[in-house]
Amino acid sequence: MDFNVEIIKNALPLLLAGAGITIEISAISVGLGLAIGCLVSIIRLTQFRLLRYLGNVYVDFIRGTPLLVQIFLVYFALPAIIGQRVDAFFAAISACSINSGAYVAEIFRGGIQSIDKGQMEAGRSLGMSWWQTMRYIILPQAFKRIIPPLGNEFIAMLKDSSLVSVIGFEELTRRGQLIIARTYASFEIWLAVALIYLLMTFVVARLTGVLERRFDTSK
Amino acid sequence: MKNDFIKITGLRKCFGDLEVLKGIDLNVAEQEVVVIIGPSGSGKSTLLRCINYLEEPSGGEVVVDGIPLNGEAHINEVRKEIGMVFQRFNLFPHMTVLENLILAPMKVRGLHKDEAKKLALELLDKVGLAEKADSYPESLSGGQQQRVAIARALCMKPKAMLFDEPTSALDPEMINEVLDVMRSLAKDGMTMVVVTHEMGFAREVGDRVLFVDGGHILEEGTPEEVFNHPKEERTQNFLSKIL
Ligand SMILES: Nc1ncnc2c1ncn2[C@@H]1O[C@H](COP(=O)(O)OP(=O)(O)OP(=O)(O)O)[C@@H](O)[C@H]1O
Ligand SMILES: [Mg+2]
């Protein structure tokens, strides 16, 4: 079997542009996921039964179904309901954010629950409200603990965002497919694609480590 | 006769099927120091925690400073007036000692940061830890952490203090530095309810000792009466084990 380095070289600009889009969609999705997850995890801690219940249904549904199916739901099923096509970018971002939100909500919940309950009691016994104690005492401590799992979530999203290639959204994996359709060099291109993913996830893992240490020394 | 600052009548508390407090009547006068002793699991912590509503009573009435405790609205009002010190300190680990002290006065009492700092430094000085203002809790010894916890509670200018076994998580050599702070508080006229098995402290500082067992106040009296002439057999048994 001959390995054609030239093909990789030629494809690289396109692939790297695709990687940029992968990073973009992952970052936006995890960013929106953070907002959704924060909201949902707080909803699930409050006394409002109905809200708590809806929060649980959301998290269970997302975690209990494949991302691929969620993407199909947004891209193919949603238009049937609203009677209008949705574009691939919108479908990709919304499916990934909604998905990420559920995982982030679980991460937040774990972080909050890992804080000793004596902290809430100390805050309350000083006369602070539940929300004040949450905001000034529990959340800042929880935040430090959730940096590593949030890093993992971002890494997972970098990889899982490859699924949006099935609706034709041109991120890294889709770019690879398109180049192979033209050149038939599947081994070279998939190898290059894999290495680019590896590089991205490696960098994120490192950054997470740095962030974690930064927050640790300043505690 | 001084006014009763805390009035508890018929207090009951259940956790599910387990009835932990079975009708407690207790009045604590202003400036009085009440010491609570009793075997593990008898409900001492639960009793303290019902006073500032960390546990919601299942029955009976708790009135603090004339305010009956029911409904969320009054709770924070009462908690402002009652400081609580926990067995395991519960300092906020992500804040410096000074930040631990000034947070609640600023957020709850609305003190300006400078006022809060001034007050905090005075109190740290009082517990002998002025030079630790900028340290983080984890760099302090247990005894120092507990003194900070006391200063933190005092920073809210409470009218009464609750102590739940404040020295039982400490190494023996650190117990006295904490008890000294509590002694001086009592001397200054603070109303205090203290769960402790430090008999020396109870004798010296306590106006009244309660022996709690099985969710009841089984016996109460001056330290002299309870420690030297316990009437109940269970009190005698308990004392013979810990003395
Ligand atoms: N949140 C809770 N849920 C269920 N049971 C509880 C709870 N808190 C306390 N209990 C139970 O209530 C009983 C009394 O507990 P409490 O902590 O008041 O005892 P205590 O006298 O303070 O004991 P110790 O000396 O060990 O601190 C125990 O049997 C305990 O297991
Ligand atoms: Mg206890």
Side-chain angles (χ1 to χ4, degrees):
Chain A
M1 193 193 88
D2 40 37
F3 188 88
N4 194 338
V5 180
E6 209 50 34
I7 286 185
I8 295 186
K9 252 193 210 154
N10 291 337
L12 210 53
L14 271 177
L15 289 180
L16 287 180
I21 293 171
T22 288
I23 292 174
E24 185 188 335
I25 179 174
S26 305
I28 295 177
S29 299
V30 174
L32 291 174
L34 268 177
I36 298 173
C38 187
L39 199 74
V40 170
S41 61
I42 286 174
I43 277 177
R44 293 207 297 168
L45 286 170
T46 58
Q47 303 302 317
F48 306 108
R49 282 259 174 83
L50 181 69
L51 282 178
R52 234 168 42 198
Y53 179 74
L54 290 175
N56 289 339
V57 168
Y58 162 66
V59 172
D60 290 345
F61 178 80
I62 295 299
R63 292 185 358 127
T65 55
L67 175 58
L68 186 57
V69 174
Q70 293 161 19
I71 293 168
F72 286 153
L73 273 175
V74 175
Y75 192 60
F76 296 115
L78 189 62
I81 300 170
I82 61 175
Q84 199 182 348
R85 271 187 64 93
V86 298
D87 76 359
F89 182 75
F90 174 83
I93 292 284
S94 26
C96 289
S97 321
I98 292 170
N99 180 274
S100 196
Y103 287 92
V104 171
E106 281 296 279
I107 292 172
F108 269 70
R109 182 166 81 151
I112 290 169
Q113 282 177 345
S114 76
I115 305 299
D116 187 291
K117 79 184 197 345
Q119 293 286 305
M120 177 57 85
E121 293 184 345
R124 299 308 303 273
S125 75
L126 286 165
M128 289 195 281
S129 66
W130 181 86
W131 174 241
Q132 283 177 322
T133 311
M134 212 56 194
R135 170 156 170 220
Y136 298 110
I137 296 165
I138 310 292
L139 290 179
Q141 292 183 63
F143 185 69
K144 247 180 1 203
R145 298 198 188 169
I146 63 178
I147 291 172
L150 279 183
N152 288 341
E153 169 60 20
F154 190 55
I155 288 172
M157 191 43 77
L158 278 174
K159 295 184 291 179
D160 292 350
S161 64
S162 61
L163 289 170
V164 302
S165 60
V166 298
I167 54 171
F169 187 71
E170 286 194 31
E171 40 64 73
L172 177 55
T173 299
R174 180 71 182 156
R175 287 279 164 96
Q177 282 177 336
L178 293 175
I179 295 170
I180 290 166
R182 228 174 42 224
T183 62
Y184 303 108
S186 55
F187 181 65
E188 288 88 343
I189 298 299
W190 284 134
L191 184 69
V193 167
L195 289 177
I196 294 174
Y197 274 115
L198 183 64
L199 184 70
M200 291 192 294
T201 54
F202 178 78
V203 169
V204 172
R206 275 305 167 89
L207 283 179
T208 311
V210 170
L211 214 58
E212 200 183 342
R213 261 178 314 239
R214 161 89 46 88
F215 274 95
D216 211 40
T217 48
S218 69
K219 79 174 175 184
Chain B
M1 189 65 199
K2 283 181 176 136
N3 289 329
D4 285 328
F5 184 73
I6 301 169
K7 291 188 204 178
I8 300 172
T9 33
L11 173 64
R12 293 189 312 105
K13 174 67 190 176
C14 306
F15 292 109
D17 287 339
L18 180 71
E19 191 173 27
V20 176
L21 299 179
K22 301 171 181 165
I24 300 272
D25 298 303
L26 168 65
N27 289 350
V28 181
E30 278 172 16
Q31 307 207 331
E32 190 182 17
V33 177
V34 172
V35 173
I36 300 176
I37 60 172
S40 181
S42 56
K44 307 179 298 294
S45 299
T46 307
L47 172 55
L48 274 196
R49 294 157 59 83
C50 281
I51 296 178
N52 70 353
Y53 227 75
L54 281 183
E55 300 292 355
E56 189 177 348
S58 314
E61 199 183 34
V62 178
V63 181
V64 174
D65 201 13
I67 309 172
L69 267 182
N70 44 30
E72 187 72 26
H74 291 312
I75 295 175
N76 288 338
E77 288 308 302
V78 166
R79 285 181 180 149
K80 282 199 288 198
E81 311 300 339
I82 306 185
M84 183 154 192
V85 175
F86 302 87
Q87 186 172 0
R88 290 177 50 243
F89 329 135
N90 294 348
L91 294 179
F92 308 134
H94 60 304
M95 296 179 175
T96 64
V97 165
L98 190 69
E99 288 165 348
N100 263 273
L101 265 68
I102 64 176
L103 180 66
M106 287 169 60
K107 300 299 170 198
V108 180
R109 293 246 188 248
L111 248 59
H112 190 271
K113 190 164 186 180
D114 295 332
E115 296 170 273
K117 268 188 181 169
K118 186 162 165 285
L119 175 61
L121 289 170
E122 278 169 29
L123 288 167
L124 281 178
D125 195 42
K126 185 170 171 181
V127 300
L129 289 171
E131 80 282 9
K132 297 290 186 190
D134 296 319
S135 307
Y136 282 89
E138 63 167 7
S139 69
L140 305 181
S141 72
Q144 290 172 330
Q145 290 193 42
Q146 193 60 299
R147 284 186 281 154
V148 170
I150 295 173
R152 179 177 70 181
L154 292 176
C155 222
M156 285 297 289
K157 302 221 160 161
K159 295 180 183 158
M161 289 280 284
L162 310 175
F163 293 85
D164 192 358
E165 305 203 35
T167 58
S168 60
L170 298 178
D171 293 336
E173 73 271 18
M174 293 171 185
I175 290 177
N176 261 320
E177 63 188 59
V178 172
L179 292 181
D180 281 342
V181 170
M182 292 167 62
R183 276 188 197 104
S184 88
L185 262 183
K187 211 169 290 162
D188 293 346
M190 178 63 79
T191 308
M192 290 163 59
V193 182
V194 186
V195 175
T196 185
H197 292 147
E198 293 296 329
M199 296 304 151
F201 174 84
R203 272 176 207 277
E204 185 191 332
V205 180
D207 297 307
R208 195 150 45 110
V209 174
L210 311 181
F211 175 67
V212 174
D213 192 17
H216 296 284
I217 297 178
L218 215 62
E219 181 158 1
E220 66 175 286
T222 63
E224 155 76 14
E225 285 164 0
V226 175
F227 292 138
N228 297 1
H229 312 287
K231 292 194 277 287
E232 302 286 334
E233 199 184 322
R234 304 195 62 144
T235 319
Q236 292 162 10
N237 265 335
F238 175 74
L239 289 173
S240 70
K241 269 183 228 141
I242 61 163
L243 286 180

